[in-house]
Amino acid sequence: MLNKVLWSLDNHMDDFEFERLCTDILGRDGYSDIVPVGGPRDGGRDAEIRTYMGLRRSGGVTYFQYSLRKDWEQKLRTDLSNLHARGAELQFYVFVTSRSVTGERRDKLSAETREIYGWELLIYEREWLRHRLEERHPDLAVKYLGVPSPATADPERPRLQAPSPDAFQRDVAWQNYIQGDYEAAVPGFKRHLSSAPSDARAWLALGWCQYVALHYEDAIASIAKALDLEPENSDARRVRAAVLTERGIRDGSKADLMTARGLLQELAKDARDWTDHYNYANVLGSLGEHDGAVVEYSAALDVNPSIARIWKNLGSTYYHLKEHDKEITAYDRALELDDTLAEALASKGVTLLTVRKQPEEAVPLLERAEESDSTFPNRWPHFRYWMARAYVESGRPVDALEQCAKGLHVSPGHRGLLALKAVLLSKLWRSEPEYADEARGFFEFLSALDPTDYGAFTELLLVTQSFGAEEAAWTLAGRRASVDGSLLRESVVVVCKARLEDWLAAYRFSAAYEQYRASGKETGFRSRLAAYAIDTDDDFESALEVARTLSFGLACQAVAEARADEEPLRFVEIKRLVMERLGTSLPRVAAKLATNVRTGSAESFADSLAPVIFAWVLAAGVEATGQLGYIAGLFGVPRTQLNSDVLADLSDLQAWQSRMAGETFGAIADELDYDSLRERLSKKGTAS
């Protein structure tokens, strides 16, 4: 049985998409802080995290490598050696390959890696990928494997000569059959065969009708009856091969395709017309045997060079062989013979778009394909995606959006169309307000479809906010963060002096922040306050979490952007981002506690509050250093650089804490409006 997932991995996956696919799977399986760093200078890793959860409880730098290569073992050994030569410090190395790896081989490599390098090697191989994509994450199988190669439309139906009835059998069923009304013929053939079960020709005709109606299982059963009665009937063998070919492509059944190949190979040896070579070539192409398919299509053309579909399929085969000049020549020959052949028009258009980078030349061909056959887009759902892509690249975004709408009307879950429509609407609503309502509805749909799609959620909130629905935007943001929207807005805007955009950017890294907290990084704000019998309320708790989330998330965003631009990572820059954000927010958070401390004269209040403030500043320093260390590890700042920078910047941390104390004093004084409090607190701060 040919597995569709594995077949697509082998035939329709490039290195870049495989890297993204593996990162998404591993992210869902517990490696939630994977930071992609792949590319031509990835240093022997495709992604790297500091701590991963779900597979091991212990922390440590983990490197990831993904490979589609047949020589995966050689690649693995080379990358491990290169990492060691660079002095990389890691604990775990995760290797994902699309190839099969025996348990014995995996154990041997793991032991060897542990002995030579002291690292734990985890290998996930072919069967693991199949299980994850079929059973646990089928949406990723659709996202990454659902769109076929650009030049491939729906499978071509084998061009078979329909079985012809004997003259004396011209009853109603045969009349319908001869007129091509195959579905109407089925009941008549069934009635006839109930009383004449040995009529091989009727079984064959019934099988053909069922095949044309796409009832493959029924067709296989009927053809089997015909072959039981007439084992050497070549027409029955042709129809059986046709059914097996289409069912094999539909279900990803290698057994069906290989059986069809065997039948058609025998028929092609003694072929009297072009159809047997054509059918054989189709099944070879479905099995990825493109060189053999070229031979058989050429043989079909030797018999009859005037069949446009043969030239079209030959062109698609050359696409897979990356012989694009020959591909275009074959399409042109097909169109000389039939300038309305939608498959040839679309295939040539897509190749001009994706291979030749000529969208202006592609658009007329794609438009002609739909004009020539209005049913073609429904038979090949991906046509709308390529049509929209061609419009985008030709500078026609409104036409592209219309194509997306048409395609999604038929295939609402088409990932390519969903992603393209999102890109289009995110640009259009900013420049043309009339698209705001459509954008809001669409991004709300995407957010519900995939709660982890932070891009769609960000667009939803921004378009909502931009057109006067500020409160609604914060309500949505609060719902996602499981807090009251107005409380979230108060914490972000009023207390932390940030914007909705800042909160969204930081919230994107909320999973990493939660892991940071779960790793035991409690910095003592609550415990230090409890020591002074100071109560906290929801406002304070919300503001404190927002302040810490903002500093952590915005620092992660900046470092991730630097990594994407391949800029060198500097600990001092991470430090600046964290401390700048905390320095802005935390004094104002502390001010929310002022009314919870016993009051009285300004002097007595200052006496009671001063130690609380210094405890607060100490906790802020622990929070800052905790975030710094975690983020540096998360993004792979080398330990030698980290140690050097930390030693050089201790004085900066102390100065920051002093400024924090002063800012906190001032914020509390402003909150309570005590005339003499600021001066009294300042004196205590100086004395301390």
Side-chain angles (χ1 to χ4, degrees):
M1 181 80 156
L2 177 64
N3 182 275
K4 288 186 285 187
V5 165
L6 298 179
W7 191 24
S8 296
L9 283 173
D10 292 340
N11 293 282
H12 301 305
M13 179 66 67
D14 61 29
D15 291 333
F16 176 71
E17 284 295 297
F18 186 60
E19 177 182 318
R20 294 179 61 192
L21 168 64
C22 291
T23 295
D24 283 357
I25 295 174
L26 289 167
R28 293 187 182 184
D29 279 11
Y31 298 91
S32 57
D33 286 338
I34 292 181
V35 179
V37 294
R41 294 183 293 280
D42 64 359
R45 69 207 190 279
D46 289 331
E48 178 182 337
I49 62 173
R50 183 68 176 178
T51 303
Y52 63 85
M53 309 294 289
L55 296 180
R56 292 196 186 281
R57 294 183 181 276
S58 57
V61 172
T62 302
Y63 279 11
F64 296 80
Q65 191 72 31
Y66 315 129
S67 175
L68 289 167
R69 289 166 47 166
K70 293 181 179 179
D71 59 340
W72 63 268
E73 187 172 340
Q74 177 183 342
K75 174 177 174 57
L76 172 60
R77 291 179 185 278
T78 299
D79 290 339
L80 288 170
S81 177
N82 289 341
L83 278 172
H84 187 260
R86 288 176 48 232
E89 298 181 15
L90 62 142
Q91 189 171 348
F92 304 104
Y93 192 96
V94 174
F95 186 80
V96 183
T97 174
S98 63
R99 307 292 170 174
S100 296
V101 183
T102 65
E104 180 183 4
R105 194 77 202 131
R106 183 167 52 242
D107 293 343
K108 182 177 180 180
L109 285 166
S110 296
E112 179 183 303
T113 303
R114 192 180 306 114
E115 179 181 351
I116 296 175
Y117 305 113
W119 304 333
E120 291 294 324
L121 173 65
L122 302 174
I123 297 178
Y124 299 123
E125 48 87 57
R126 191 174 182 83
E127 187 59 21
W128 177 85
L129 284 167
R130 181 204 63 76
H131 175 264
R132 289 302 190 270
L133 290 168
E134 286 186 344
E135 303 298 331
R136 294 188 63 174
H137 312 300
D139 61 308
L140 294 182
V142 173
K143 178 178 180 180
Y144 289 101
L145 306 176
V147 180
S149 301
T152 304
D154 291 334
E156 296 287 352
R157 169 146 298 163
R159 308 291 288 181
L160 295 173
Q161 300 297 320
S164 55
D166 296 334
F168 64 86
Q169 291 176 313
R170 294 181 182 274
D171 59 13
V172 174
W174 283 109
Q175 287 291 340
N176 287 327
Y177 175 86
I178 292 170
Q179 294 168 9
D181 192 353
Y182 298 120
E183 290 196 43
V186 169
F189 281 127
K190 287 183 175 180
R191 285 193 298 270
H192 168 70
L193 288 166
S194 66
S195 58
S198 60
D199 187 344
R201 298 292 292 174
W203 281 114
L204 178 55
L206 174 60
W208 175 263
C209 294
Q210 291 164 331
Y211 159 63
V212 172
L214 307 182
H215 299 156
Y216 296 135
E217 285 69 29
D218 292 339
I220 287 288
S222 298
I223 299 304
K225 292 282 191 180
L227 285 170
D228 286 343
L229 294 166
E230 295 182 3
E232 300 303 317
N233 187 315
S234 59
D235 280 339
R237 290 158 64 198
R238 286 186 180 92
V239 177
R240 181 169 185 248
V243 178
L244 289 171
T245 298
E246 290 200 19
R247 189 176 72 173
I249 292 171
R250 184 196 68 183
D251 297 343
S253 171
K254 191 172 184 179
D256 279 0
L257 292 170
M258 291 179 66
T259 303
R261 179 179 61 184
L263 291 166
L264 292 167
Q265 184 177 28
E266 290 300 314
L267 291 167
K269 287 180 180 178
D270 303 317
R272 295 186 298 273
D273 60 35
W274 62 272
T275 58
D276 289 327
H277 292 295
Y278 178 88
N279 296 336
Y280 185 29
N282 283 343
V283 77
L284 288 175
S286 299
L287 285 165
E289 300 175 19
H290 302 298
D291 289 321
V294 168
V295 172
E296 290 303 317
Y297 285 132
S298 299
L301 290 169
D302 287 341
V303 176
N304 191 341
S306 63
I307 305 297
R309 288 184 176 274
I310 307 176
W311 287 104
K312 181 269 160 189
N313 279 17
L314 178 61
S316 293
T317 304
Y318 280 130
Y319 169 86
H320 290 290
L321 293 171
K322 301 187 185 306
E323 297 185 41
H324 298 299
D325 289 340
K326 292 182 179 179
E327 175 194 1
I328 295 297
T329 298
Y331 293 149
D332 287 342
R333 181 62 180 135
L335 292 170
E336 288 175 9
L337 294 165
D338 181 359
D339 63 2
T340 66
L341 185 59
E343 290 86 349
L345 290 164
S347 294
K348 181 179 178 181
V350 172
T351 296
L352 290 178
L353 174 69
T354 60
V355 177
R356 297 285 178 83
K357 310 300 181 185
Q358 299 173 334
E360 290 79 9
E361 287 75 10
V363 165
L365 291 167
L366 294 168
E367 290 175 338
R368 282 174 54 200
E370 183 173 10
E371 291 168 1
S372 299
D373 183 355
S374 61
T375 69
F376 179 63
N378 292 335
R379 289 188 285 111
W380 185 35
H382 309 296
F383 172 81
R384 295 292 183 195
Y385 172 77
W386 295 116
M387 187 80 252
R389 274 273 307 272
Y391 281 139
V392 168
E393 295 179 28
S394 298
R396 298 166 60 180
V398 175
D399 290 331
L401 188 63
E402 182 182 356
Q403 289 296 316
C404 289
K406 288 180 178 179
L408 290 170
H409 183 72
V410 176
S411 304
H414 192 290
R415 291 286 175 172
L417 287 168
L418 289 171
L420 190 55
K421 184 174 181 179
V423 171
L424 288 164
L425 283 175
S426 69
K427 294 179 179 178
L428 285 170
W429 75 258
R430 286 171 168 82
S431 60
E432 301 180 47
E434 62 266 29
Y435 288 98
D437 288 340
E438 182 178 358
R440 184 161 45 242
F442 180 67
F443 289 120
E444 187 172 6
F445 169 76
L446 287 186
S447 297
L449 182 66
D450 181 4
T452 66
D453 188 344
Y454 291 105
F457 183 62
T458 297
E459 287 294 311
L460 172 60
L461 264 64
L462 292 179
V463 69
T464 301
Q465 179 195 49
S466 296
F467 289 90
E470 179 84 15
E471 184 177 348
W474 283 105
T475 298
L476 289 169
R479 189 180 304 158
R480 177 63 67 93
S482 301
V483 298
D484 179 75
S486 60
L487 184 58
L488 178 63
R489 182 182 182 280
E490 171 79 11
S491 300
V492 173
V493 178
V494 179
V495 177
C496 296
K497 297 299 182 183
R499 304 167 302 159
L500 178 62
E501 293 91 324
D502 297 323
W503 169 250
L504 290 170
Y507 188 72
R508 189 180 187 90
F509 294 90
S510 59
Y513 175 75
E514 289 170 8
Q515 281 197 5
Y516 163 64
R517 286 281 165 239
S519 65
K521 303 297 182 182
E522 180 49 60
T523 49
F525 286 103
R526 295 178 182 84
S527 61
R528 294 176 192 279
L529 294 172
Y532 293 93
I534 297 177
D535 297 326
T536 61
D537 56 20
D538 288 345
D539 284 1
F540 168 80
E541 296 290 345
S542 174
L544 179 59
E545 270 312 287
V546 166
R548 296 196 289 187
T549 302
L550 281 171
S551 64
F552 185 94
L554 293 176
C556 285
Q557 180 197 38
V559 177
E561 290 174 351
R563 174 61 60 82
D565 294 335
E566 299 184 350
E567 296 178 2
L569 293 178
R570 296 293 299 167
F571 176 77
V572 291
E573 180 63 14
I574 304 173
K575 178 180 71 68
R576 184 191 66 78
L577 290 161
V578 169
M579 296 173 71
E580 182 180 273
R581 189 69 260 172
L582 287 174
T584 300
S585 304
L586 287 179
R588 300 179 61 82
V589 174
K592 298 182 76 64
L593 290 172
T595 55
N596 295 339
V597 180
R598 59 185 175 86
T599 60
S601 68
E603 183 172 337
S604 64
F605 184 77
D607 288 338
S608 64
L609 190 58
V612 177
I613 292 175
F614 288 110
W616 177 266
V617 171
L618 180 60
V622 176
E623 175 70 27
T625 55
Q627 289 198 19
L628 292 174
Y630 195 89
I631 296 170
L634 181 66
F635 286 90
V637 175
R639 185 182 299 276
T640 53
Q641 178 190 324
L642 180 61
N643 291 339
S644 173
D645 286 339
V646 168
L647 290 174
D649 293 324
L650 284 177
S651 59
D652 282 355
L653 179 60
Q654 293 167 351
W656 176 78
Q657 287 181 298
S658 296
R659 291 193 300 273
M660 174 73 71
E663 292 291 332
T664 304
F665 295 160
I668 292 176
D670 290 341
E671 182 77 14
L672 294 176
D673 197 25
Y674 276 92
D675 294 336
S676 60
L677 181 60
R678 184 188 302 275
E679 180 180 355
R680 179 69 177 170
L681 287 173
S682 297
K683 289 180 179 179
K684 284 188 173 292
T686 303
S688 300

